[in-house]
Amino acid sequence: MKIGELSRRTGVPTRLLRYYEEQDLLHPGRGENGYRSYGEEAVRDVQQIRGLLDSGLTTEMIRAILPYLSGPDEILLPAERLTPETAALLQAHLDRIQARIDCLARNRDRLSAYLAAVRPAAAESPGA
């Protein structure tokens, strides 16, 4: 399929698909006319890339693990193929995720405490 068809099927703009190619995440073939040619697997790959980007992974991390993904829920990266650099990238990402979780949990707890403190007063006020 051509890039326009891949864009329609995935909802990803052609400009972004070209960017994925520049980042070595997509590998289209080229026809005699020079046009990009994508196989059916490109739809799954683009969806996978979008999901990983949405989860906060960088294109560098995705490039390292994409060949080992068999679907949205499974990474088949043999331990002997995990380089120290890739392991460090993934660990740093896990640390950032945990820091965000901790921050969100603190904010949730503060908001819950605030609501618990003001709700009884709001229910007793004449405008409630």
Side-chain angles (χ1 to χ4, degrees), residues 15-105:
R15 182 174 175 211
L16 206 45
L17 295 173
R18 287 186 195 98
Y19 173 75
Y20 296 162
E21 182 182 351
E22 289 170 12
Q23 295 299 306
D24 199 28
L25 300 176
L26 284 180
H27 306 98
R30 295 282 181 164
E32 289 180 20
N33 57 8
Y35 289 176
R36 291 168 178 84
S37 175
Y38 296 91
E40 281 298 315
E41 71 282 353
V43 173
R44 180 187 55 86
D45 290 345
V46 169
Q47 291 168 338
Q48 191 107 57
I49 292 164
R50 290 299 318 149
L52 293 168
L53 286 169
D54 289 346
S55 74
L57 269 66
T58 65
T59 56
E60 182 182 7
M61 287 185 260
I62 294 169
R63 185 171 38 268
I65 65 171
L66 191 61
Y68 305 103
L69 299 178
S70 64
D73 299 324
E74 191 171 18
I75 299 177
L76 301 174
L77 176 59
E80 65 274 6
R81 297 292 307 267
L82 180 65
T83 66
E85 294 82 13
T86 301
L89 280 172
L90 295 174
Q91 185 61 55
H93 185 64
L94 284 173
D95 294 344
R96 284 191 301 276
I97 289 172
Q98 188 59 55
R100 285 192 310 224
I101 290 170
D102 294 345
C103 180
L104 288 169

